[in-house]
Amino acid sequence: MASDETHRLMRHPEAPKRATLLELLLDVVYVAALALLSMRLSVDLSWIAAAEVLVLLMAVWWIWSITALLTDFYNPEEPKIQVIVAWAMLGSIVMTATIPQAFSALGWLFAGMYVAIHLVRGVVLVAVLRRHQAQIRAARFLCWFVLSGTLWLAGAFLPASTRIVLWGIALLTDYVGAVLRYPTPWLGRVPMAQYDKASEHLGERYQQFVILALGDIILVPLLLSGRSELDAERLGMLLLAFVTMLLLWQIYVHRAGASLQVAIGERPGRATRWAPYTHLFMVAGIVATATGFELLVARSHSRAGLGLVAVVVGGPALFLIGRTIFEYEVFGRFSWSRLIWLVVLVGTAPAFLPLTPSAVAGFTSVVLLGVALSDSARSNGWHRQDRRSIPS
């Protein structure tokens, strides 16, 4: 039978829903990681570089997602859980520092820390959850991360062309394992009932991360502008980056982001299982959008070209895709108006290849404004329908 000390490690249903200060401190590390990823992509807009950035982003995102799930399932005020979070923070700092050289000289360090974060967390949880049913849950996670960790470490000592393949398979193992609820010999799968124990705290964590990530759209361009003379054109790009950031924020919080905590309260299992994947699309879109504005502020292109159009248009497009799937899976609603705007955005992108980069960014902002206004109109329609359905 589990001891009282072991029971205290579990999050109580009536525990505060707010994130702890340690969790917020963890998020700051990931703001730096996303900034480095966008800067890395801005240096090389090739498809190979984009694939490498995607692999690194998926690794960083998965650590954050699992840590958010950890502090929602266990009590983040307990010292043992805080030590695990602090370890994830330390490991994430090392991984972030190695991002520029993860596919060259420091691949072993990036992969080693990724594996160490997951394995140390799993070993500690299995050790401290003695005779508690949650020990089996921790053991399932640990077994799957041992499997993917082997691929991570093997890829770290191979050439970059082979490394990206092995790391991609390792990430597929991590992501698919979660979808399948970590089926493990002799231990079975994670019961669906455990996903139903997710609290509003988890919804708040995703909201906080997206809001902080959106700040990267203006953060790095601001830092770059400080290195050069601030003329009218560069100031205009900064203002456009600010507007784009606000529009993406509005699109996220409108009836989905702001209601994520409510959705987790009503349908915790579905929201918990879909949030990591749909938010990955949105975070990837934010990184690409930040890359675009870094290039716009640096004025490294006289005309748009394929690479710049891909990030300036593709970033918001990825964000809209993730946002639309998220709303459908969690709330059961599909936004046709957002799909139409997405088709307009992507469908007209080829026409901007020979134009100036600022024209591409300006058009993208207009489309995002159209999405935000359509969402607002759609919301007002729902409200009127709800009022008519209320009996007098």
Side-chain angles (χ1 to χ4, degrees), residues 59-359:
V60 168
W61 171 248
W62 202 240
I63 292 174
W64 184 91
S65 297
I66 296 297
T67 305
L69 188 62
L70 170 89
T71 56
D72 191 71
F73 193 81
Y74 302 100
N75 181 5
E77 299 290 350
E78 278 293 313
K80 292 176 181 177
I81 302 302
Q82 290 177 338
V83 168
I84 295 176
V85 175
W87 166 247
M89 188 188 310
L90 175 61
S92 299
I93 289 173
V94 175
M95 289 177 62
T96 298
T98 63
I99 281 175
Q101 301 180 70
F103 279 92
S104 55
L106 295 181
W108 63 272
L109 187 53
F110 183 90
M113 288 310 305
Y114 178 88
V115 174
I117 290 171
H118 290 305
L119 294 190
V120 169
R121 178 186 59 244
V123 170
V124 171
L125 286 175
V126 169
V128 300
L129 293 169
R130 295 182 299 273
R131 294 184 296 278
H132 193 284
Q133 60 180 357
Q135 187 182 45
I136 300 177
R137 172 191 172 97
R140 294 190 189 97
F141 279 61
L142 179 59
C143 289
W144 274 82
F145 284 123
V146 167
L147 177 61
S148 67
T150 303
L151 297 171
W152 275 102
L153 295 177
F157 297 97
L158 295 174
S161 58
T162 309
R163 182 179 306 173
I164 193 172
V165 174
L166 277 184
W167 283 4
I169 297 174
L171 284 168
L172 189 63
T173 302
D174 289 337
Y175 279 67
V176 172
V179 171
L180 299 178
R181 293 185 283 129
Y182 298 103
T184 308
W186 301 290
L187 300 178
R189 305 185 184 208
V190 176
M192 283 298 299
Q194 291 190 11
Y195 290 94
D196 291 334
K197 293 181 180 180
S199 70
E200 296 174 13
H201 163 268
L202 188 61
E204 181 182 81
R205 295 294 294 126
Y206 277 99
Q207 291 175 36
Q208 290 166 343
F209 189 92
V210 171
I211 298 305
L212 287 172
L214 284 170
D216 272 332
I217 295 176
I218 193 67
L219 173 62
V220 178
L222 272 175
L223 295 176
L224 290 175
S225 66
R227 301 176 184 175
S228 307
E229 180 183 354
L230 184 62
D231 54 20
E233 184 178 355
R234 185 168 281 116
L235 179 59
M237 288 300 99
L238 289 175
L239 293 177
L240 194 56
F242 173 71
V243 170
T244 301
M245 178 186 67
L246 285 183
L247 288 171
L248 290 176
W249 166 78
Q250 175 61 25
I251 292 169
Y252 176 74
V253 302
H254 187 77
R255 290 188 67 85
S259 304
L260 178 56
Q261 291 168 289
V262 177
I264 288 182
E266 295 176 353
R267 306 172 68 186
R270 194 169 187 84
T272 302
R273 297 186 69 192
W274 276 98
Y277 305 98
T278 54
H279 280 69
L280 173 62
F281 276 95
M282 288 185 264
V283 173
I286 292 171
V287 170
T289 302
T291 299
F293 280 107
E294 290 167 30
L295 293 171
L296 289 171
V297 170
R299 292 189 299 201
S300 56
H301 295 71
S302 58
R303 68 183 187 91
L306 180 60
L308 189 61
V309 169
V311 291
V312 173
V313 173
L318 281 174
F319 189 92
L320 291 176
I321 291 171
R323 171 66 173 77
T324 302
I325 297 174
F326 172 74
E327 181 177 321
Y328 177 76
E329 290 297 335
V330 176
F331 296 93
R333 297 191 300 262
F334 186 81
S335 173
W336 289 103
S337 62
R338 199 177 298 124
L339 178 62
I340 292 172
W341 282 114
L342 183 60
V343 171
V344 170
L345 178 63
V346 177
T348 57
F352 287 92
L353 293 177
L355 302 182
T356 61
S358 58

